[in-house]
Structures are given as C-alpha cells and as structure tokens.
Amino acid sequence: MSTPSGTYATRPDPRRLAAVVVLVPLLAALALWAFAWPAARTAPRDLPLGVAGPAAATAQAEQQLARHRGAFEVHRYADGAAAREAVRDRAVYGAIVVTDRGPELLTASAASPLVAQLLQQAVSAGGAAPRTVDVVPAPTSDPRGAALTASVLPLALAGIAAGAAVPLLGLRGARAVTSLVGASALVGVTAAAITHSWLAVLTGDWWAEAAVLGLSTLAVSSAVAGLGALLGRAGVGLAAAVLMLLGNPFSGAGSAPEMLPEPAGAIGQWLPPGAGTTLLRSVSYFDGAAALEPALTLTWWAAVGLGAVLLGSALKSRAGQRKPGAGREPAPAG
C-alpha cells in the first residue's frame, strides 16, 4: 500500500527492533551494576594501617583491630616517627601510636577523607576516642575530596571524545598521534588551571599536576583511538564502554581502592581513571610518594594505544594498496 507521498512504507526490521528491546535494558543493568554495586559494598578490605609502639603496649590496639576481620592489614612500626613517615610515603592510610599519654591516631585525609573518618570510628568503637593527628590533611578548599572525585568523569569524557574524534575525522598515522598528544596536553594545562589555580583543590607542583592530568587524558584517548583504528566504530564503542562503565566507578576516587569489593578495586587501578586519580593524589599531596606504579600504568596505556593507532593506519594503507587497480594510472583516452 502506497503512502500519501507516493512511496511504499517499509516495515521495521524485527531483528533491529529486538536488538533495541534487549540491548537497552541490558546496558542499563550493566551500568547500574557497575556504579551501584561498589557503592553499596563499600567497606575496608585489607586496608593498610600501622601500629607503633612497644609490642606489649600495642597488643590491645591490635586485638581491637582484629575484631574487624579482614578489614585491616596491620603494619608494625617501632615508634611514632616511623609511623608518620609511613603515612607520608603512602605505605599506610593511618596509624595507631601508643604513647605514655595514651593512644594517638595518625590519619591522612588527603589520601581519602572517607578512610580517615572510618579509622576514627573504628579506633573509637567501644572506648574513648584517641587524639587524632591529620599528618597529610586534605586542602581546606576541598576537605571532603568532592572536587577531586568529581574531576574523574570529565577527564574520562574528554579523553573519550578526543579518541573518538581521531577515527571520525579520518586522521591516521603521525597526524593522529600528534592530535592525541596535543589535545591531551591542552586538557592537562586547562584542568590544572581550573583545579589548582582557580579552585585550589590541588596543592602540589603546578606543572607536575598538569602532566599527570594530561597523561591520564592521553591514556584514555589513545586507548579509544587505538581500538578505533583496529576495529572501527565497534572498537571506539568498546573502549568507551569499558572506560566509562568500569574505569569510573572502579577508580576508588571517592573512597579508596581497598574500600571497593574485589576485584573492583584491583581492576580500577589497572584502568586509566583509577591510576590517574592515585597518581594525582601522590603528586599533589604526598610529594610524589608511591607514584611509580600508577605512572607506569598510565604510560603503558598511552604507549599501547598510540602503537595501535600507528598499526591500524599501517594496516589500512596496505589494504588500500592491495585493492585491484589501486595506485594505477588511468589508461589514456582513445
């Protein structure tokens, strides 16, 4: 039957209709699982915590921590000075120091305000609250770490957008690599100007922070562009889905990797958003302590992604040369 415009109406493809009906709820369920599951199961799991003082004096503190089965990974130190150094080096999130004046709790709210609060509650349970010393405090402009946590998603989106733009604009080879590096560098400088210079939520070296923010963006963008160069649009979608649905909620930015259910905490630190957040905290608040591992993780992502971009470009160039008639001059007329 013809339509009023004179064209024939086409029936919708049942397979496409079924795909929409099935895939949309599946995607929603996956997103809810990825974001809601870690949030609903937030609790300490082998959280590194120090105990300092004579063995006889720290026995009671260790017994109190042992009541929280599987919650804390206890590290023993000889005295309070060693415990403070361990907190500054990010070896532990805090420490209980037994002194002649009673127990003292060392925390580092810059590492995680949520963990610092949790340690106070755990140590104070069933007794008087000890004196608390914040060895590495969070900046006064962001005492709860909300601004730092909120920066994870925009940086991931910027990286995904830059990575998706490369194959969509037809950029290949050295031009694609130059575009990714340049865009990431500009994102790093812009993000540092906002978070450090304007909001004052970062307090470390400005250029080091800009480098971390740029490297985090490059790790994301190169992964998206690399899979796009190898697999086309499907690769772009796959990379974006993994980085958004796993990288963002598994990053531990709002709490700590040890506060997430396993294996979410471990997976998050192997993805750019989690590694980037950990590295940014180390550079901004801890003078670069414990920065090597997340820096290597981001560098690995960036290097592999850029390598995939170059490989995909080379494969497409070879495929174009092998096509019949490719590169041949047209025959003269007549």
Side-chain angles (χ1 to χ4, degrees):
M1 183 181 219
S2 62
T3 60
S5 60
T7 60
Y8 287 94
T10 58
R11 295 181 179 180
D13 188 346
R15 292 175 296 181
R16 293 184 179 181
L17 180 60
V20 172
V21 172
V22 173
L23 289 179
V24 171
L26 182 62
L27 182 61
L30 181 60
L32 284 173
W33 166 79
F35 282 86
W37 172 55
R41 297 292 185 268
T42 300
R45 296 170 177 84
D46 293 327
L47 189 76
L49 179 63
V51 174
T58 59
Q60 183 178 356
E62 293 185 23
Q63 290 176 1
Q64 184 177 354
L65 294 175
R67 297 172 186 170
H68 306 274
R69 295 184 178 179
F72 301 105
E73 180 184 89
V74 177
H75 297 247
R76 295 172 180 82
Y77 300 97
D79 51 33
R84 286 173 181 264
E85 191 66 22
V87 173
R88 294 191 184 99
D89 290 341
R90 303 201 72 182
V92 293
Y93 282 91
I96 301 173
V97 181
V98 180
T99 66
D100 296 336
R101 296 172 296 175
E104 180 181 78
L105 175 63
L106 307 180
T107 62
S109 59
S112 173
L114 179 63
V115 170
Q117 182 181 5
L118 180 145
L119 292 178
Q120 294 179 28
Q121 295 173 352
V123 174
S124 303
R131 187 171 73 93
T132 302
V133 179
D134 199 347
V135 179
V136 187
T140 56
S141 55
D142 189 26
R144 298 179 181 177
L148 181 65
T149 302
S151 66
V152 176
L153 181 59
L155 286 175
L157 290 175
I160 291 173
V166 166
L168 291 177
L169 296 176
L171 298 176
R172 295 183 183 179
R175 290 186 177 181
V177 171
T178 302
S179 299
L180 291 170
V181 173
S184 299
L186 289 177
V187 170
V189 170
T190 303
I194 294 174
T195 55
H196 185 118
S197 303
W198 178 35
L199 299 178
V201 299
L202 300 180
T203 59
D205 180 79
W206 195 95
W207 286 107
E209 292 165 353
V212 171
L213 293 165
L215 180 59
S216 300
T217 306
L218 180 61
V220 174
S221 62
S222 59
V224 174
L227 274 184
L230 295 175
L231 304 178
R233 293 182 180 179
V236 172
L238 177 61
V242 170
L243 293 170
M244 282 298 299
L245 296 181
L246 298 182
N248 190 51
F250 290 6
S251 67
S255 55
E258 295 85 357
M259 295 288 288
L260 302 180
E262 289 297 340
I267 293 174
Q269 292 306 296
W270 280 102
L271 294 175
T277 302
T278 300
L279 181 58
L280 186 61
R281 277 198 167 108
S282 293
V283 169
S284 183
Y285 308 134
F286 293 88
D287 294 327
L292 180 59
E293 185 174 341
L296 290 176
T297 300
L298 292 176
T299 303
W300 181 88
W301 275 93
V304 172
L306 294 177
V309 169
L310 295 175
L311 176 61
S313 300
L315 292 176
K316 289 180 180 178
S317 297
R318 290 183 181 181
Q321 293 175 358
R322 291 176 181 175
K323 288 181 179 180
R328 296 181 182 175
E329 296 184 0

